[in-house]
Amino acid sequence: MAYDEKKETCGTVCLKYLLFTFNFLFWLAGGVVMAVGIWTLVEKSDYISLLSSVTYAASAYILILAGAIVMVTGVLGCCATFKEQRRLLRVYFVLLLCIFLLEILAGVLAYIYYQQLNEELKQNLRETIVQKYRQPEQEHITKAVDKLQQEFKCCGSNSSSDWGESVWIRTNEADGRLVPDSCCKTQTLGCGHRDHPSNIYKVEGGCITKLENFILDHLKIIGAVGVGIACVQIVGMVFTCCLYRSLKAEPY
């Protein structure tokens, strides 16, 4: 009997330290998840404004929420582990399960949007460029388009000829430009008056191809982080269940 109790106590201690180590790593992982979500929204917010669907942004918001809960849960897990309180362990397990579902949801959303991205860009990017560039109360669109063309070295949705149908190009405000100055290889005031390949970016597939590849790469990161951390959490839930059962078996 004494041997069994000692063996059980040793097992419980091992589980406690395993779960504590997991919680520390889990807390760090929460910071990474949160950072990926914030980075997606802050650094890439201009490009998000060019998308009609909110799925891409929603995936990032879910990761931020999950990351914040993960960090709080990591601290709670450490407290529950060392205090050996079954009630705290139950709360900890439920939170782990909620985070698991949130991160799976983020991964699934990223995958779904991955499948429909090309069609969305074809339908909306050209219309956005033609109808909203340099229009009243559309400053964020103008900024996003200019940044898109300069960073990705492209011009127009499919090609530079898209700008021929632009509402802005047809106004006096354009001052006779054929394309915006952001299309120019060397951007200077009024450089958009010439649309020769030596002056502006002529990229096969236009900005659609560049933006699509960019967003697809980031969707892969969002999906991989969400699903990866969720899989790691399964280990934490197993440890929690084992420790809970071990504590339950101990006499009060």
Side-chain angles (χ1 to χ4, degrees), residues 82-99:
F82 278 101
K83 290 188 176 182
E84 298 186 5
Q85 292 186 2
R86 286 178 291 151
R87 184 176 297 176
L88 278 177
L89 282 173
R90 283 198 296 267
V91 173
Y92 174 65
F93 181 85
V94 170
L95 285 174
L96 277 181
L97 185 60
C98 290
I99 298 165

Side-chain angles (χ1 to χ4, degrees), residues 145-205:
V145 171
D146 285 338
K147 183 178 179 181
L148 174 69
Q149 295 189 141
Q150 276 294 297
E151 284 196 357
F152 293 142
K153 303 185 188 317
C154 58
C155 184
S157 176
N158 297 293
S159 69
S160 59
S161 61
D162 291 335
W163 286 108
E165 299 178 34
S166 167
V167 173
W168 173 72
I169 287 292
R170 296 175 181 178
T171 64
N172 293 330
E173 185 186 348
D175 193 29
R177 288 178 175 83
L178 299 176
V179 294
D181 293 343
S182 58
C183 279
C184 299
K185 294 179 179 178
T186 302
Q187 188 175 354
T188 56
L189 184 63
C191 66
H193 286 98
R194 291 179 61 244
D195 62 354
H196 192 272
S198 63
N199 184 51
I200 68 170
Y201 296 113
K202 294 273 190 178
V203 180
E204 186 178 348

Side-chain angles (χ1 to χ4, degrees), residues 55-82:
T55 311
Y56 181 61
S59 297
Y61 280 118
I62 289 172
L63 282 184
I64 292 173
L65 177 62
I69 298 175
V70 162
M71 298 186 79
V72 173
T73 303
V75 175
L76 177 64
C78 290
C79 294
T81 301
F82 278 101

